[in-house]
Amino acid sequence: MTKNQEFFQKINEAFATGDVDFILEHTAEDVVWNHVGQAVFEGKAAFAAEMEKMRGYIPQNYVTKEIITHGNFAVIEGSMTLPDEEGINKTYAFCDIYKLNKFKDGKIKELTAYLIEVNA
């Protein structure tokens, strides 16, 4: 496993366990998070404010299907169960595309996140 593969495995685990501090520690100041179809968060302060909503939250049935890395890019695909606004659990597929600000020891500069409700 390459260093970047290990890094993205840890990032994925941080999302799965609500470890916001780990994610923020590895995020660039000029990060852009495009949550496709919902919102775009620009800069670390906006990213951090949105990430705080996830602190300590552990989604149910979090499954990582694939982690693909190439250079300073990574794609993580999987599924999880989350409650909707009415508290009803729904299953979602996700695909997150990451770009680091540099190849070695980089920080997350761009994150494009797709989240789609699927039938369980």
Side-chain angles (χ1 to χ4, degrees), residues 71-87:
N72 62 333
F73 286 91
V75 176
I76 302 176
E77 176 191 12
S79 62
M80 63 185 153
T81 302
L82 299 169
D84 65 10
E85 288 128 13
E86 290 143 13

Side-chain angles (χ1 to χ4, degrees), residues 26-71:
H26 295 90
T27 302
E29 291 298 322
D30 60 345
V31 66
V32 175
W33 181 12
N34 179 6
H35 199 279
V36 176
Q38 297 194 21
V40 176
F41 305 96
E42 296 186 43
K44 194 167 184 177
F47 181 82
E50 195 61 21
M51 289 301 304
E52 281 301 323
K53 297 175 185 177
M54 297 180 193
R55 182 176 295 281
Y57 181 78
I58 301 173
Q60 299 174 21
N61 307 316
Y62 192 98
V63 176
T64 302
K65 203 171 169 187
E66 199 76 54
I67 297 177
I68 302 167
T69 62
H70 182 74

Side-chain angles (χ1 to χ4, degrees), residues 67-118:
I67 297 177
I68 302 167
T69 62
H70 182 74
N72 62 333
F73 286 91
V75 176
I76 302 176
E77 176 191 12
S79 62
M80 63 185 153
T81 302
L82 299 169
D84 65 10
E85 288 128 13
E86 290 143 13
I88 298 169
N89 283 335
K90 298 203 174 179
T91 301
Y92 296 88
F94 66 87
C95 183
D96 297 329
I97 304 167
Y98 295 87
K99 181 179 181 183
L100 300 177
N101 59 357
K102 58 185 179 175
F103 178 70
K104 286 190 168 190
D105 301 319
K107 293 189 174 194
I108 299 167
K109 179 178 175 63
E110 295 176 19
L111 170 54
T112 301
Y114 297 87
L115 185 66
I116 302 165
E117 184 181 346
V118 295

